[in-house]
């Protein structure tokens, strides 16, 4: 894996920030840091990072609000975000995922584990960009893997890295039932420690962003999801 990627670490605990910076640096990643929400937003705007490691509890502007703002702006909507949270409650994790985070790590965490998550996320993005099939179509939906772009009726739909990966996997398996565990392993990676609720959150977000999928992605009771074969209107 190329290690020229730039990662913005947003963390107000200096010890954790320096530790994460040290471990990412050892792997060849370039890093930038921010200790407040305001500073983080300025840095993202001035020097677009390839990935953001984002603490939730920050001075001035918290991590959830930062995530919301980044996902709401077209030029930053697709930057991968890994959340750091000291809260173990599932509700906090779900809120972050609802707002568009790609992954999360609960404190206390192993720096090596965080680095592994970062590498896994970059690998999955690389695989999506280097897939053998470069374009998927589903009715008026067109997914161009080489451009990392999704368009519906020639209007671009901005997706997060995980939303893009989930949609691409469903499009490659039209008509097949995909269990939540299969989707977690294939899109998030076998080393992902989240719950299957993560899949439900991302499916719901896909449907919100692409109404065409509202009836196309169906839940299969106790199993998972299926993208129905496309049935062109009469």
């Amino acid at each position: 894996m190329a290690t020229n990627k730039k990662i913005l670490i947003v963390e107000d605990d200096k010890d954790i920030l320096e530790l994460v910076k040290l471990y990412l640096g050892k792997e060849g990643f370039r890093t930038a840091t921010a200790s407040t929400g305001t500073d983080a937003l300025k840095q993202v705007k001035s020097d677009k990072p390839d990935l953001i490691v984002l603490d939730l509890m920050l001075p001035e502007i918290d991590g959830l609000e930062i995530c919301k703002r980044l996902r709401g702006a077209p030029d930053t909507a697709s930057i991968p975000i890994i959340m750091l949270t000291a809260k173990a409650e599932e509700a906090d994790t779900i809120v972050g995922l609802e707002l568009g985070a790609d992954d999360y790590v609960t404190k206390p965490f192993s720096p090596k584990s965080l680095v592994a998550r970062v590498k896994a996320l970059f690998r999955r993005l690389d695989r999506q960009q280097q897939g053998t099939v470069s374009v998927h179509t589903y009715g008026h939906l067109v997914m161009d893997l080489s451009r990392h772009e999704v368009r519906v009726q020639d209007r671009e739909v901005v997706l997060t890295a995980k939303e893009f990966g989930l949609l691409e996997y469903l499009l490659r398996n039209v008509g097949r039932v995909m269990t939540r565990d299969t989707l977690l392993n294939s899109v998030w990676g076998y080393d992902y420690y989240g719950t299957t609720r993560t899949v439900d959150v991302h499916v719901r977000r896909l449907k919100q962003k692409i109404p065409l999928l509202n009836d196309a992605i169906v839940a299969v009771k106790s199993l998972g999801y299926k993208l129905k074969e496309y049935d062109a209107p009469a």
Side-chain angles (χ1 to χ4, degrees):
M1 176 190 296
T3 54
N4 61 345
K5 304 286 189 182
K6 184 170 186 177
I7 299 174
L8 174 62
I9 309 163
V10 188
E11 169 63 66
D12 64 328
D13 185 311
K14 291 184 179 180
D15 292 335
I16 294 177
L17 187 149
E18 290 300 323
L19 191 62
V20 172
K21 181 179 178 181
L22 175 65
Y23 273 79
L24 288 172
K26 284 182 178 179
E27 296 297 324
F29 292 108
R30 295 181 296 129
T31 59
T33 62
S35 57
T36 70
T38 303
D39 189 26
L41 289 173
K42 288 180 180 177
Q43 291 229 38
V44 172
K45 187 175 182 179
S46 64
D47 187 14
K48 298 287 192 323
D50 296 295
L51 183 145
I52 301 171
V53 175
L54 177 65
D55 186 31
L56 289 191
M57 305 300 290
L58 293 167
E60 300 175 7
I61 305 173
D62 67 31
L64 291 178
E65 178 62 23
I66 291 173
C67 191
K68 182 179 180 181
R69 293 188 190 185
L70 294 178
R71 290 300 182 240
D75 58 335
T76 58
S78 61
I79 299 176
I81 297 174
I82 297 179
M83 296 187 308
L84 299 181
T85 174
K87 299 179 180 179
E89 291 86 355
E90 184 184 26
D92 297 303
T93 301
I94 295 301
V95 169
L97 294 172
E98 287 274 15
L99 291 174
D102 296 286
D103 202 347
Y104 70 94
V105 176
T106 303
K107 298 177 182 177
F109 60 88
S110 158
K112 289 184 178 179
S113 174
L114 176 60
V115 171
R117 296 285 189 95
V118 169
K119 287 183 173 180
L121 185 49
F122 278 135
R123 279 198 302 269
R124 287 191 288 276
L125 289 172
D126 287 342
R127 282 201 300 269
Q128 290 168 10
Q129 293 168 0
Q130 297 170 5
T132 54
V133 177
S134 61
V135 176
H136 293 290
T137 60
Y138 190 85
H140 294 296
L141 185 155
V142 179
M143 170 178 272
D144 189 327
L145 297 177
S146 62
R147 295 184 179 183
H148 199 79
E149 182 180 88
V150 173
R151 305 186 76 85
V152 177
Q153 291 184 321
D154 209 33
R155 178 182 64 85
E156 184 174 3
V157 180
V158 179
L159 301 178
T160 67
K162 284 298 186 298
E163 291 165 356
F164 191 94
L166 176 60
L167 178 58
E168 194 265 339
Y169 194 78
L170 290 171
L171 287 170
R172 282 197 288 112
N173 293 279
V174 172
R176 296 176 58 191
V177 176
M178 298 284 107
T179 67
R180 289 177 174 83
D181 285 334
T182 295
L183 291 169
L184 273 178
N185 290 339
S186 300
V187 180
W188 280 261
Y190 70 90
D191 55 349
Y192 183 71
Y193 301 111
T195 68
T196 54
R197 176 76 185 276
T198 299
V199 176
D200 299 333
V201 170
H202 281 74
V203 166
R204 185 161 65 249
R205 287 218 316 262
L206 274 179
K207 290 184 174 185
Q208 289 171 348
K209 290 186 175 183
I210 308 175
L212 167 68
L213 300 176
N214 274 329
D215 296 323
I217 300 178
V218 295
V220 180
K221 189 175 181 180
S222 301
L223 284 175
Y225 293 95
K226 177 177 72 171
L227 178 61
K228 297 189 298 184
E229 297 280 355
Y230 182 73
D231 186 14

